[in-house]
Amino acid sequence: MPLTLHVPEPPARPGQPSDFSYLRLQPAGQALKPPIDANPQDLRDFAYGLIRVLDDNGEAKGEWGADMTLAQKHRALHLMMLTRAFDTRMFHAQRQKKISFYIQATGEEAIATCQALALNDDDMCFPSYRQHSVLLARDVPLLDLMCQLYSNACDPLKGRQLPALYSRNDKGYYSLSGNLATRFLIGVGWAMASAIKGDTRIASSWIGDGATAEGDFQTALTFAHVYKAPVLLNVVNNQWAISTFQTIAGGENTTFAARGMGTGIASLRVDGNDALACYAVSKWAADRARTNQGPTLIEWVTYRAGPHSSSDDPSKYRPDNEWQSFPLGDPIVRLKNHLITLGEWSEEQHDEAQKKLMEQVITAQKTAEQAGGSSVNAAAHSHSIFEDVYAVMPQHLQRQRQQFEEGL
Amino acid sequence: MTLASDTPHSLASMTMVQAIRSALDVMLERDPNVVLYGQDVGYFGGVFRCTDGLQKKYGKQRVFDAPISESGIVGTAIGMGAYGLRPVIEIQFADYFYPAMDQIVSELSRLRYRSAGDFTAPVTIRMPAGGGIYGGQTHSQSPEAIFVHVAGLRTVMPSNPYDAKGLLIASIESDDPVIFIEPKRLYNGPFDGYHDRPIQSWRDHEDAHVPEGYFNLELDQAAIAKAGNDLTVLAYGTMVHVAKAAAELSGVDAEVIDLRSLWPVDLDTITDSVKKTGRCVVVHEATRTGGYGAELTALVQEHCFYSLEAPILRVTGWDTPYPHAQEWDYFPVPARVAAAYKTVMEGL
């Protein structure tokens, strides 16, 4: 019998009905909560199961359901809605050619938002490009983000970076870049440094399902395990890496949490659209890291609701509106329903809040545009091209700046 | 040459290995944020003994062994640098830095630039390089041109124990990332390319009298290794010694410049010399095409064109992988370098 090369395909392509039976779901409340000093070898079932708190009626179930206070739930809902309003408006701004590029986090808002709420503000995050909720949770003004998106005169990164590749050291948000997976590993080094200095701060590294195929993913796991680094290793499995389904990254008949198990790291698989689960598991992992119990790998199961970026058209490779049938739903709707179930929120309040958040975003956008909004605004910072390559500008760059000024 | 020192100059005779270890010892003592790690660097003290005894002296939190992962070593060091440490890491052989290329080029070199100074990582990467030791293809390479091409990196290579210590201390203190390339052929003694003569030792060599305490040498400063009037030789690492031997062999009064800092480079010292001599030969072990010598040749041509009496020649490794049995056919030995001197002096 001749051999054949196996090339995985997603369960559905454009025009076909969605099929999410591969997801290995588990009912809310079923997963137990292990002690934070649990031996990774005893957590095998967590790497293949699914920690969920909110059931289909919006009720919190099980041991993971008690961690979040009511105030935190309201805060989480606010931040998730703010993230979505921001994304909606900025994606639109890109379509209007006001900014050159944009990346949304639609459908994934619960994960970064709730982890930010579970961390201390001085814990350092090493995000990929869909975790800007962390910045909002740490009260970075919308205007600051927009100035970066517009590459305008107020852009703190002086027009050097693509939109959405923020950097905020003061807010525990490491400088982003377009190359994948490197920062997942760099976060481990930061955590090692914190341990070397006897600090109490921890790190939070982020990677998508697709980028787990990069070498630095496995390298990060090895170093985190070897040195018991105080780091949360977050794998956001949104099922898609641009056009490639997560099976092309190695997700077929396994989980990404299982990768952590093999490396000796406590690894949990979690409903990424369940704000209560996102918070509780992040808190568990943070407590574990902060008490020298070592790293935790968390696979967040979610769905990339929007296009990969403003340059992508998902209707070319996956069914239209597939998100509507994703079994874990919309994280904002699920938290909203939970608060309504508790009698602490209403559809009217929700609609009102949504309207106000959009107004807030629009106001910030107008201010940003006053500081010079255009698709690519070179003039605002052209003379700073040569700065910050080195701590002090060396001779050859001084000569090149001179040539630039002379038009050579 | 600047000498900044906070202790009386109690000189000791050191090999390059001892000088490097002394620099690391001084900086571990002086700056609590300096940490050292890499493969076999901790308990064992390094395969070349450059970190011998340091873990015992400073503890495992400061000096430790790392997994065999160049990307992991560099990547974690960037995170430590961003935290506020000053990591000095080792890649066992320069031939093995390639798995760390993405971390070096995409992260380390441009962190300051892309974050507009919001984050920096003052990492020093030590890597033994160069041939002349029958190291074959993966223990002999000279990859400096790859680093010189990357904006945001500093690339440094010493040629003797004194410079090795002073430049390594300056590299560790630099707030820029530094690729510190150590010619392993010079670890235990100077080598002028005469492989058939007895091995020399650094003992009693004038460049091996090294201050025991703290001192540093300014980066971006070349040194005149041998003054001369007939032609200018641009060299670094092992080739500094070969270039001097070739001057003796050829009888040409060559001025040998030891660049020490490859990039950013000390252009003033180069142009002053070439404008004086009117002739220039570039010598390096690395392969020729796209090598660092091409940049040096272009710089001399741009800045000294009207002073040049002859074309600039390059004596380099051949454009082949580094062979084993044919070590001395590949390595630019004094005879090959001397032939180039004569050609430049007498016309092509």
Side-chain angles (χ1 to χ4, degrees):
Chain A
M1 184 174 149
L3 296 167
T4 55
L5 181 72
H6 174 65
V7 181
E9 272 292 316
R13 288 296 192 185
Q16 296 175 337
S18 295
D19 175 8
F20 287 104
S21 56
Y22 69 89
L23 273 177
R24 305 169 68 93
L25 300 180
Q26 201 170 323
Q30 197 187 71
L32 302 176
K33 189 173 183 179
I36 57 164
D37 61 353
N39 186 326
Q41 292 183 77
D42 299 331
L43 299 177
R44 189 188 178 282
D45 290 347
F46 290 90
Y48 291 95
L50 190 69
I51 297 171
R52 303 180 71 187
V53 170
L54 292 175
D55 69 10
D56 293 343
N57 302 318
E59 282 175 29
K61 295 285 171 68
E63 297 180 346
W64 294 92
D67 283 355
M68 237 178 161
T69 65
L70 183 61
Q72 283 170 327
K73 291 172 186 174
H74 274 293
R75 173 95 174 126
L77 183 63
H78 167 82
L79 290 167
M80 289 158 66
M81 292 171 74
L82 178 59
T83 304
R84 189 164 298 177
F86 185 81
D87 281 351
T88 304
R89 187 74 188 174
M90 291 299 104
F91 196 78
H92 192 58
Q94 193 281 332
R95 290 296 185 247
Q96 293 173 313
K97 297 186 168 28
K98 289 179 167 181
I99 59 177
S100 63
F101 178 74
Y102 195 68
I103 284 203
Q104 302 162 278
T106 311
E108 304 174 29
E109 295 92 342
I111 305 163
T113 298
C114 295
Q115 182 150 122
L117 295 180
L119 295 174
N120 294 340
D121 278 353
D122 58 358
D123 293 330
M124 185 66 80
C125 293
F126 294 79
S128 74
Y129 35 64
R130 281 187 229 281
Q131 283 80 43
H132 46 290
S133 295
V134 171
L135 292 168
L136 301 176
R138 290 175 174 177
D139 298 317
V140 174
L142 295 177
L143 181 61
D144 290 16
L145 304 188
M146 284 179 180
C147 288
Q148 198 280 325
L149 297 175
Y150 277 89
S151 301
N152 65 17
C154 301
D155 173 8
L157 305 184
K158 302 182 180 177
R160 293 175 191 157
Q161 274 286 39
L162 270 180
L165 302 184
Y166 310 108
S167 174
R168 280 300 288 256
N169 204 344
D170 62 332
K171 294 291 182 181
Y173 198 83
Y174 185 76
S175 155
L176 281 180
S177 177
N179 52 310
L180 296 177
T182 48
R183 290 161 304 283
F184 192 70
L185 168 59
I186 290 170
V188 174
W190 194 97
M192 289 169 68
S194 186
I196 287 169
K197 296 304 275 187
D199 200 343
T200 56
R201 290 180 291 167
I202 61 174
S204 156
S205 278
W206 295 82
I207 200 166
D209 48 284
T212 62
E214 292 282 3
D216 280 352
F217 171 69
Q218 191 59 51
T219 304
L221 301 192
T222 301
F223 276 68
H225 169 68
V226 167
Y227 300 108
K228 259 187 149 177
V231 60
L232 277 59
L233 299 162
N234 298 284
V235 179
V236 180
N237 179 4
N238 67 15
Q239 318 304 318
W240 293 95
I242 308 186
S243 73
T244 54
F245 186 60
Q246 49 95 9
T247 49
I248 286 286
E252 194 168 57
N253 296 321
T254 186
T255 69
F256 293 97
R259 306 284 171 82
M261 284 303 298
T263 317
I265 293 174
S267 303
L268 315 172
R269 187 167 174 264
V270 186
D271 179 346
N273 291 3
D274 177 340
L276 273 63
C278 291
Y279 178 85
V281 171
S282 293
K283 180 81 169 49
W284 186 90
D287 289 346
R288 183 175 169 86
R290 231 181 281 283
T291 53
N292 275 317
Q293 311 296 329
T296 303
L297 184 145
I298 310 162
E299 175 184 348
W300 304 102
V301 180
T302 185
Y303 186 86
R304 196 196 75 210
H308 164 71
S309 73
S310 57
S311 309
D312 175 46
D313 174 9
S315 73
K316 297 279 193 277
Y317 52 79
R318 70 184 188 187
D320 260 349
N321 304 317
E322 195 180 46
W323 188 34
Q324 311 304 327
S325 49
F326 182 62
L328 302 179
D330 176 338
I332 294 180
V333 172
R334 285 176 67 192
L335 183 56
K336 176 188 81 172
N337 289 345
H338 172 62
L339 283 166
I340 291 173
T341 306
L342 294 178
E344 299 289 346
W345 196 240
S346 69
E347 295 286 357
E348 296 71 31
Q349 283 174 300
H350 193 82
D351 291 346
E352 182 63 20
Q354 197 163 297
K355 218 176 98 197
K356 278 196 174 146
L357 287 170
M358 189 52 91
E359 282 166 11
Q360 198 185 324
V361 170
I362 291 170
T363 305
Q365 187 187 17
K366 284 180 177 158
T367 313
E369 287 175 4
Q370 279 162 11
S374 72
S375 58
V376 176
N377 193 346
H381 297 286
S382 62
H383 286 264
S384 83
I385 296 175
F386 304 96
E387 293 164 9
D388 299 321
V389 181
Y390 296 89
V392 177
M393 193 182 298
Q395 261 189 8
H396 72 283
L397 286 177
Q398 290 178 32
R399 280 197 302 276
Q400 288 175 26
R401 184 172 62 177
Q402 177 85 24
Q403 289 168 341
F404 168 73
E405 281 165 4
E406 289 165 1
L408 296 171
Chain B
M1 184 185 304
T2 330
L3 188 70
S5 172
D6 62 359
T7 50
H9 295 166
S10 152
L11 297 178
S13 178
M14 296 186 194
T15 65
M16 193 184 278
V17 168
Q18 290 165 334
I20 286 164
R21 184 164 64 227
S22 175
L24 298 171
D25 190 1
V26 164
M27 289 311 293
L28 279 163
E29 178 85 48
R30 195 175 164 91
D31 183 347
N33 289 325
V34 169
V35 293
L36 241 63
Y37 62 105
Q39 292 157 28
D40 305 297
V41 156
Y43 182 86
F44 180 59
V47 296
F48 292 107
R49 317 312 302 151
C50 289
T51 56
D52 189 24
L54 295 176
Q55 183 181 76
K56 195 171 180 201
K57 186 168 175 186
Y58 295 98
K60 288 200 293 186
Q61 301 283 305
R62 304 282 307 281
V63 182
F64 51 92
D65 287 315
I68 304 174
S69 170
E70 292 76 15
S71 171
I73 292 166
V74 175
T76 52
I78 296 168
M80 291 183 198
Y83 176 93
L85 300 188
R86 207 167 269 278
V88 185
I89 53 175
E90 180 180 302
I91 302 293
Q92 199 158 78
F93 287 85
D95 314 64
Y96 301 134
F97 93 86
Y98 305 105
M101 187 79 170
D102 193 23
Q103 289 287 352
I104 292 172
V105 176
S106 308
E107 293 288 339
L108 181 62
S109 73
R110 58 187 62 177
L111 183 58
R112 178 189 297 276
Y113 188 74
R114 74 169 193 237
S115 71
D118 193 31
F119 285 91
T120 57
V123 175
T124 302
I125 307 179
R126 294 180 40 242
M127 53 177 83
I133 56 153
Y134 289 102
Q137 297 190 18
T138 55
H139 300 82
S140 307
Q141 296 170 35
S142 297
E144 63 272 11
I146 296 171
F147 303 115
V148 166
H149 189 58
V150 179
L153 295 180
R154 291 180 173 279
T155 304
V156 174
M157 195 190 305
S159 68
N160 61 62
Y162 182 88
D163 285 0
K165 181 169 177 182
L167 291 172
L168 181 53
I169 288 176
S171 297
I172 296 169
E173 288 179 323
S174 170
D175 289 331
D176 297 320
V178 179
I179 309 294
F180 193 83
I181 303 178
E182 301 166 4
K184 57 188 165 304
R185 188 62 181 83
L186 303 181
Y187 267 158
N188 295 308
F191 179 64
D192 55 14
Y194 289 113
H195 52 92
D196 43 0
R197 294 182 184 173
I199 290 170
Q200 303 167 68
S201 149
W202 283 116
R203 186 179 301 279
D204 301 327
H205 193 287
E206 59 172 336
D207 293 333
H209 300 300
V210 183
E212 286 189 311
Y214 169 87
F215 77 102
N216 66 25
L217 293 172
E218 234 176 279
L219 301 180
D220 306 356
Q221 297 281 307
I224 309 286
K226 176 196 166 306
N229 290 304
D230 288 349
L231 71 86
T232 300
V233 185
L234 305 181
Y236 48 91
T238 308
M239 286 302 129
V240 171
H241 304 275
V242 174
K244 283 159 73 175
E248 201 171 309
L249 179 66
S250 63
V252 174
D253 184 21
E255 178 148 288
V256 178
I257 297 181
D258 178 357
L259 296 174
R260 303 199 295 189
S261 286
L262 306 194
W263 202 261
V265 73
D266 179 0
L267 186 62
D268 291 342
T269 299
I270 296 171
T271 54
D272 286 353
S273 176
V274 176
K275 283 175 181 169
K276 178 181 75 177
T277 63
R279 291 176 166 84
C280 182
V281 172
V282 177
V283 190
H284 61 56
E285 284 180 68
T287 51
R288 183 168 307 167
T289 305
Y292 178 48
E295 185 61 37
L296 291 170
T297 304
L299 284 171
V300 170
Q301 187 276 138
E302 277 172 35
H303 293 271
C304 308
F305 183 77
Y306 296 106
S307 308
L308 286 171
E309 305 284 343
I312 306 157
L313 284 196
R314 287 177 283 167
V315 187
T316 68
W318 307 118
D319 280 342
T320 67
Y322 206 116
H324 176 61
Q326 307 91 328
E327 177 82 54
W328 306 113
D329 296 330
Y330 178 93
F331 186 95
V333 292
R336 261 179 72 200
V337 178
Y341 293 176
K342 285 189 175 165
T343 304
V344 167
M345 292 311 296
E346 293 161 13
L348 296 171

